[in-house]
Amino acid sequence: MTEPTDLPPQAAERLAWPLRLTFAGLVAERGVRAFWPLWTVLIAVLAALMLGVQDLLPLEAVWGIAVVSVLGALWAAARGIQHFRLPDRAEALDRLDRTLPGRPIAAISDSQAIGAGDPASEAVWAAHVARMAEKARDAKAPKPDLKLSARDPYALRYVALLGLTVAVLFGSVLRVASVAEMTPGNQAVASGPSWEGWVEPPLYTGLPSLYLNDISRDDFEVPEGSRVTIRFYGEIGALSLSETVSMRTEDVPPATDPVQAFDVLQSGGIGIDGPGGQSWDITVTEDENPSIEFDGPISQGEGGRLEAPFVASDDYGVTSGQMVVTLDLAEVERRYGLTIDPEPRDPIELDIPITISGDRTQFSEVVIDDFSKHPWANLPVSASLSAQDSAEHEGLSAPQFANLPGRRFFDPLAKAIVEQRRDLLWNRANAPRVAQVLRAVSFQPESIFRSETVYLKLRFAVRRLETRVSLGRLTDDVIDETAAALWGLALEIEEGDLGDALERLRRAQDRLSEAIENGATDAEIAELMQELREAMQDYMSQLAQQQGEGEQPEMAENQEMQEMTGEQLQDMLDRLQELMEQGRMAEAQQLLDQLRQMMENMQVAEGQQGGQQSAGEQAMEGLAETLREQQGLSDDAFRDLQEQYNPNAPAGQSRDNEGRGGDGERRGAQNDQPESQGEGGQQGRGGEPGGQDQQQDGGDGNLADRQQALRDELNRQRQSLPGAGTPEGDSARDALGRAGEAMENAEDALREEDFAGALDSQSQAMEALREGMRDLAEQMAEQQQQQGGQQGQQLGQNDPNGSRDPLGREVGQNGRIGTDEQLLQGEDVYRRARELLDEIRKRSGEQNRPTEELEYLKRLLERF
């Protein structure tokens, strides 16, 4: 290209390089647009040759494709030559000039056509040219437009480039030379054959393939199971294969076959005999078996869960593994229900956790699972680990012997139930003995069971088990159902849902004392100590609240005032835990007894009040008592409903078995209440002499009379209810009015022996009572908020004047009364409601019950 001589010399010098670059860009644009089909065909052919396509296809197909490729290349070249036109200088100047505003290059190349010879006109023209020359100094070569999407809508050029990239990564340039061997007149074929070979390791190793033609050394190593492929080209028989690595003895192909393929299973040699042949000594690296071992003893984690740490390794990575647990029968202490042989039971198989994103060649994990419900829980077992790799090789660990971790129960009654559950699952032949033991345990429930519901559930499970034994129908489903029921009862007894802080504290102390006597693990000690700390904190909060309400603890005349700070109390608990973890159980028990005595001295005596209760508190206590009485009536009506639809049951069986620990226990508890509940309340308890006989005689009028007395008592309470004129007080009165109407309907139904209708009305009455109590509690809380008051936080001494709580903390002028207080002075009615609802759900699933009873239970579930 010539320099722009028609431009002013100074401008031509400045525009020389931008003009050259612009010219080169135009050449590139036109060359790419004209010859892109040609280089696409050439790249595609080269990629196919490097990948060895010519070695896989028949000779005729290879030559056919070659002819088509050559013709395509010639057509693309002819098309490119026809469409390609070399740009000239004017086109380059025009392209460069169009990138500048005002076309300055064209302006400085022009000459003045009008006004030549006029000095003024020439001065204007010179100024214009000078301005354009200044703009032309900013000229930069434009980027060439190499886009071909409009000319190549199917992106064939990219397909060819992708094929070439794959060929560079996985192919070989040496394979291109094999095309010459297919030429008919080529002397290479006439003078000698050729060969080609590959070694492909197993995929799970992640190792690359080896091209035998590139290996010049005499020996190398390959993983066990590698695949060897060798191809012979040229005259058949000129080359032959000899190998000692495949261990093939049958169906061995001839050594001169053009294609040879086999697996490397042992160390040996591979040789190609003939012109240009080569041999290698192959060393096989065997795939090692995975290694897996326990990384510590099997331990008991939180909640009694099994925790088994392990470490696993493999040369190429562990893919799976299991932990198998079997019963160590020889180590089992064969006594009581374990004296007979156990029923056959499959070993426990657990999949070990495998790291997902980490390195599987070396890792450590922990097997965690809960076997508390398993029949082998807390019995001697043998556990072993196994691991597998991708080659299906397996590694085994040495067995570990331990007790299968499971939840431990510290309540004697819960422990007895769990033990009988284990015996039943051990062998169903223990069923009669299990029923006998459980019946003996629950013979006198008054001093054993804290909940009537738990007692009734246990007796029901025992009767059902005895019935199945007598009928010979101890199927697997019956055993599993009974075991599940016993487990639920044991949990309910062990944990319960205690609403009173003092009862929770005593419960925590009893469980900790049982743990000291029976021996407990560090994890169990930590769990029990945490329960004790939480129960003690709740108890302290309740004491402070009661003191704020004016209740004062009783103190003996000679009792000394003791002072203890919260820090000192915390130190006692820490010391207790430390002694237990060190195994100094005698000292721990002594310290626990001291702590128990101290907490008993600080409790507020039941029934003793240092201050006058407010009207709202008295009304709340009266309503709570009425609700408990109504709940008891509902239970009795439900038992009569059962007897009504089961007339063939032995006389008095239901009441003798259930009433002894149920209604009798409730009546005994109710007889302990103060006589301030009113005459009607006393009538409703059925605690007077002869009340039990009257009830057992089936007198429905007795239930109706109790319902009437309870309704009269509710009317009296409603008339003296505080908070008149407030929204909450009026709402509470309305709720109690609805409760009275429902009680009246229940009374009428009881007199007509319509127990189903009576239960419906009693449920409505209890719900209305709960609503009224909630409204009353809100009204009392609102009143206390208006009055104000705060609780002190300093720790001091046990002050008999009431200015401090049992730990010496200052209290406010008015205590706060809320829904978190023990307002019911007994079992939480909401928990009782939940228990009844669970019992209704369970009974509704027992299809052997009368149809009328099932329909009634269904209506109850739909309502509640």
Side-chain angles (χ1 to χ4, degrees):
M1 175 186 153
T2 59
E3 297 294 333
T5 55
D6 53 344
L7 296 175
Q10 187 176 4
E13 183 179 356
R14 292 176 179 174
L15 294 176
W17 271 109
L19 189 60
R20 291 192 187 98
L21 295 176
T22 303
F23 181 81
L26 286 174
V27 173
E29 285 183 7
R30 296 181 180 183
V32 169
R33 293 172 183 175
F35 293 102
W36 73 267
L38 177 61
W39 58 257
T40 299
V41 173
L42 296 178
I43 290 176
V45 172
L46 179 61
L49 293 176
M50 291 178 64
L51 289 173
V53 176
Q54 70 276 9
D55 299 332
L56 303 176
L57 298 177
L59 182 61
E60 294 78 4
V62 172
W63 279 107
I65 295 175
V67 170
V68 173
S69 300
V70 170
L71 293 178
L74 292 175
W75 170 82
R79 175 187 176 280
I81 294 173
Q82 179 182 1
H83 288 82
F84 180 76
R85 184 172 59 85
L86 194 68
D88 54 18
R89 174 177 173 277
E91 292 175 334
L93 276 174
D94 181 66
R95 168 66 71 85
L96 183 61
D97 195 18
R98 281 191 279 119
T99 63
L100 300 172
R103 305 294 293 271
I105 297 178
I108 62 178
S109 302
D110 291 342
S111 58
Q112 185 175 4
I114 301 175
D118 183 3
S121 179
E122 290 180 354
V124 172
W125 174 255
H128 171 67
V129 171
R131 287 197 301 271
M132 292 298 103
E134 187 66 24
K135 290 183 179 181
R137 293 178 61 183
D138 299 333
K140 294 181 180 179
K143 294 181 180 180
D145 183 10
L146 302 180
K147 294 181 180 180
L148 297 174
S149 55
R151 292 175 171 78
D152 182 16
Y154 299 105
L156 298 178
R157 63 195 186 281
Y158 292 131
V159 174
L161 286 174
L162 177 61
L164 181 61
T165 303
V166 174
V168 170
L169 294 176
F170 303 103
S172 175
V173 180
L174 299 177
R175 295 183 181 179
V176 180
S178 64
V179 178
E181 301 172 0
M182 301 180 183
T183 306
N186 194 292
Q187 296 299 323
V189 176
S191 61
S194 64
W195 59 273
E196 199 171 20
W198 302 267
V199 179
E200 301 173 84
L203 293 177
Y204 65 83
T205 64
L207 299 176
S209 299
L210 301 177
Y211 189 53
L212 291 178
N213 298 66
D214 293 339
I215 300 177
S216 58
R217 60 184 184 274
D218 295 335
D219 60 86
F220 59 91
E221 296 181 352
V222 296
E224 182 182 9
S226 298
R227 185 73 172 173
V228 179
T229 304
I230 296 178
R231 294 180 179 275
F232 296 148
Y233 307 112
E235 183 181 354
I236 297 178
L239 296 173
S240 63
L241 172 70
S242 62
E243 56 89 10
T244 59
V245 297
S246 66
M247 302 178 63
R248 294 180 295 177
T249 58
E250 298 179 358
D251 299 331
V252 180
T256 57
D257 275 4
V259 179
Q260 301 279 349
F262 53 89
D263 294 332
V264 179
L265 301 179
Q266 67 179 5
S267 298
I270 297 178
I272 298 176
D273 303 325
Q278 192 174 352
S279 63
W280 304 270
D281 291 329
I282 306 298
T283 301
V284 173
T285 57
E286 296 183 359
D287 188 352
E288 299 178 358
N289 291 336
S291 173
I292 185 169
E293 293 294 340
F294 286 101
D295 196 21
I298 295 176
S299 60
Q300 181 174 352
E302 183 180 356
R305 293 182 301 180
L306 173 143
E307 293 184 359
F310 69 91
V311 57
S313 62
D314 185 66
D315 47 359
Y316 296 113
V318 177
T319 58
S320 62
Q322 293 81 33
M323 183 173 117
V324 179
V325 181
T326 57
L327 179 66
D328 189 5
L329 190 58
E331 297 296 326
V332 176
E333 188 176 0
R334 305 293 294 275
R335 60 176 185 170
Y336 306 127
L338 305 182
T339 54
I340 62 177
D341 292 334
E343 294 182 356
R345 192 174 296 274
D346 295 334
I348 301 173
E349 295 185 0
L350 298 174
D351 292 332
I352 65 173
I354 302 294
T355 177
I356 298 176
S357 58
D359 184 13
R360 294 189 179 184
T361 59
Q362 179 79 31
F363 67 94
S364 59
E365 282 287 349
V366 180
V367 179
I368 299 177
D369 210 328
D370 188 2
F371 295 104
S372 298
K373 297 182 181 180
H374 199 276
W376 298 344
N378 299 312
L379 291 179
V381 294
S382 171
S384 60
L385 296 169
S386 63
Q388 295 82 33
D389 60 10
S390 297
E392 298 183 355
H393 294 164
E394 186 176 33
L396 299 176
S397 71
Q400 183 173 141
F401 299 92
N403 287 341
L404 182 65
R407 180 184 182 126
R408 296 183 62 185
F409 291 81
F410 297 100
D411 185 282
L413 178 58
K415 187 186 301 184
I417 293 176
V418 169
E419 181 179 347
Q420 297 310 307
R421 173 186 178 273
R422 181 203 63 190
D423 294 348
L424 180 62
L425 292 175
W426 180 267
N427 194 315
R428 66 193 65 199
N430 285 325
R433 177 183 177 278
V434 169
Q436 184 180 17
V437 171
L438 291 179
R439 184 172 288 278
V441 167
S442 58
F443 177 68
Q444 292 182 344
E446 293 81 3
S447 59
I448 299 178
F449 289 89
R450 294 185 300 273
S451 170
E452 174 189 357
T453 303
V454 174
Y455 166 75
L456 294 177
K457 287 181 180 179
L458 179 61
R459 298 298 292 212
F460 175 79
V462 171
R463 286 198 304 272
R464 187 168 188 183
L465 181 61
E466 291 173 339
T467 302
R468 297 291 183 174
V469 171
S470 63
L471 297 177
R473 296 179 181 177
L474 279 179
T475 62
D476 293 341
D477 293 338
V478 172
I479 296 297
D480 294 340
E481 182 181 352
T482 305
L486 294 179
W487 179 263
L489 287 173
L491 282 183
E492 192 169 352
I493 294 171
E494 179 75 10
E495 296 178 350
D497 189 16
L498 303 176
D500 183 73
L502 176 59
E503 189 67 23
R504 283 202 308 273
L505 178 59
R506 290 173 176 168
R507 181 73 179 143
Q509 292 171 341
D510 292 341
R511 293 188 65 194
L512 192 58
S513 180
E514 289 285 341
I516 293 176
E517 293 179 6
N518 300 330
T521 63
D522 292 343
E524 292 172 340
I525 290 174
E527 184 177 351
L528 293 174
M529 285 300 302
Q530 181 63 27
E531 179 183 351
L532 179 61
R533 295 176 196 272
E534 294 176 356
M536 186 169 293
Q537 182 64 34
D538 293 342
Y539 178 57
M540 293 303 162
S541 300
Q542 188 188 61
L543 282 177
Q545 186 172 341
Q546 289 175 345
Q547 294 292 346
E549 294 168 2
E551 298 184 7
Q552 302 297 330
E554 285 187 338
M555 296 182 62
E557 295 180 359
N558 57 351
Q559 181 177 352
E560 297 181 0
M561 296 173 59
Q562 300 177 354
E563 185 172 312
M564 173 173 286
T565 64
E567 183 177 356
Q568 292 172 339
L569 182 60
Q570 185 66 34
D571 291 341
M572 286 188 65
L573 295 176
D574 294 340
R575 177 61 176 168
L576 176 61
Q577 184 171 357
E578 180 182 355
L579 290 174
M580 294 184 65
E581 292 175 350
Q582 293 176 356
R584 300 159 64 181
M585 296 304 178
E587 298 178 40
Q589 183 64 55
Q590 184 178 3
L591 183 58
L592 180 61
D593 292 340
Q594 294 176 3
L595 180 63
R596 185 196 303 268
Q597 184 64 33
M598 183 194 71
M599 301 309 296
E600 292 291 341
N601 290 338
M602 287 191 298
Q603 76 179 44
V604 176
E606 295 182 4
Q608 301 294 334
Q609 298 181 356
Q612 184 66 29
Q613 283 187 321
S614 66
E617 293 171 351
Q618 294 177 357
M620 184 65 76
E621 290 181 0
L623 291 177
E625 177 65 22
T626 302
L627 182 58
R628 283 197 298 271
E629 292 284 353
Q630 183 62 75
Q631 183 66 66
L633 275 172
S634 180
D635 291 345
D636 293 340
F638 185 74
R639 293 191 189 96
D640 287 348
L641 177 65
Q642 286 182 303
E643 293 180 357
Q644 185 180 36
Y645 288 106
N646 191 15
N648 296 325
Q653 177 181 358
S654 176
R655 297 203 181 273
D656 289 343
N657 292 338
E658 299 177 2
R660 181 184 298 112
D663 184 52
E665 180 181 357
R666 185 181 63 255
R667 287 195 299 269
Q670 291 169 354
N671 286 336
D672 294 336
Q673 298 294 331
E675 298 179 358
S676 59
Q677 300 301 328
E679 183 180 355
Q682 294 290 341
Q683 293 175 354
R685 289 189 189 96
E688 287 98 341
Q692 183 177 357
D693 295 337
Q694 294 174 6
Q695 184 175 345
Q696 288 183 356
D697 290 341
D700 303 324
N702 184 35
L703 292 180
D705 293 342
R706 291 169 58 190
Q707 186 68 74
Q708 179 184 2
L710 193 60
R711 177 168 58 87
D712 295 339
E713 174 65 16
L714 179 64
N715 291 334
R716 185 191 65 78
Q717 294 172 347
R718 180 170 177 266
Q719 294 173 1
S720 59
L721 195 68
T726 62
E728 294 82 1
D730 294 341
S731 178
R733 280 180 169 77
D734 294 340
L736 297 184
R738 295 194 303 272
E741 295 176 0
M743 288 182 179
E744 185 177 2
N745 296 333
E747 177 189 345
D748 296 338
L750 288 173
R751 296 191 187 281
E752 297 174 2
E753 297 188 1
D754 181 12
F755 298 111
L759 286 172
D760 283 338
S761 299
Q762 288 170 344
S763 298
Q764 296 174 8
M766 287 187 289
E767 183 60 32
L769 273 172
R770 295 189 186 100
E771 182 179 350
M773 293 174 66
R774 286 193 294 268
D775 293 336
L776 180 58
E778 292 177 2
Q779 189 267 335
M780 294 169 63
E782 181 69 22
Q783 181 180 3
Q784 291 295 333
Q785 267 189 348
Q786 293 174 358
Q787 293 176 356
Q790 59 183 2
Q791 294 183 355
Q793 299 180 354
Q794 295 182 349
L795 296 173
Q797 60 185 6
N798 209 344
D799 185 359
N801 296 325
S803 60
R804 295 175 182 267
D805 69 359
L807 286 184
R809 296 176 291 190
E810 296 289 348
V811 298
Q813 296 178 355
N814 295 288
R816 182 179 64 84
I817 296 180
T819 56
D820 58 345
E821 289 198 7
Q822 186 61 23
L823 297 176
L824 303 180
Q825 294 186 348
E827 189 179 26
D828 187 355
V829 294
Y830 298 106
R831 178 174 66 86
R832 174 63 174 162
R834 288 195 300 271
E835 291 175 350
L836 288 176
L837 186 59
D838 293 340
E839 183 69 16
I840 292 174
R841 289 196 182 103
K842 187 184 75 172
R843 296 187 181 187
S844 65
E846 299 173 358
Q847 300 302 320
N848 57 344
R849 292 184 175 275
T851 305
E852 294 81 357
E853 181 181 349
L854 292 175
E855 292 178 354
Y856 170 68
L857 294 173
K858 182 179 179 182
R859 290 198 305 272
L860 286 179
L861 290 176
E862 291 176 352
R863 177 182 297 273
F864 300 104

